[in-house]
Amino acid sequence: MLATELAAQLSLPLSEECSVDIQSAASLSDAELHQLAYAGRGLEDEIKKTTAGVIIASADHVSCAPCPVLISKNPRLDFARALNLIYPKENTFPE
């Protein structure tokens, strides 16, 4: 899923134009180019070092992020919403 598609589905602005194809999610410290990561309060040093393709964080973290940021007023909640889009549940109905 492209970062722009994820941003649209979550109704969140992206800090910059990007064409990152998000394939999965990971922690800030382990994330790679095609992964989404969550950045909460007090993680500024980890944000600066991340190699994530895109992070979900508050507007306060945009200036220290080395990658595009999905700007959120509630990053933890929006990261959970993003996980539901990246890893959709398969419908399991009894036959």
Side-chain angles (χ1 to χ4, degrees), residues 6 20-40 43 46-47 49-57 67-68 70 75-76 78-80 82-84 86-87:
L6 183 61
V20 175
D21 182 20
I22 298 171
Q23 299 171 1
S24 59
S27 67
L28 266 177
S29 58
D30 294 332
E32 296 177 352
L33 179 61
H34 294 286
Q35 293 182 306
L36 174 71
Y38 160 77
L43 297 175
E46 291 170 40
I47 292 170
K49 297 175 193 173
T50 191
T51 55
V54 177
I55 63 172
I56 292 183
C67 61
L70 282 165
R76 183 177 297 187
D78 287 325
F79 185 69
L83 291 177
N84 283 327
I86 295 169
Y87 303 107

Side-chain angles (χ1 to χ4, degrees), residues 46-95:
E46 291 170 40
I47 292 170
K48 291 175 186 175
K49 297 175 193 173
T50 191
T51 55
V54 177
I55 63 172
I56 292 183
S58 68
D60 298 340
H61 292 114
V62 171
S63 62
C64 65
C67 61
V69 178
L70 282 165
I71 302 169
S72 170
K73 291 181 182 177
N74 191 339
R76 183 177 297 187
L77 173 63
D78 287 325
F79 185 69
R81 292 174 55 221
L83 291 177
N84 283 327
L85 295 171
I86 295 169
Y87 303 107
K89 289 183 181 179
E90 291 188 28
N91 290 329
T92 53
F93 297 105
E95 294 183 20

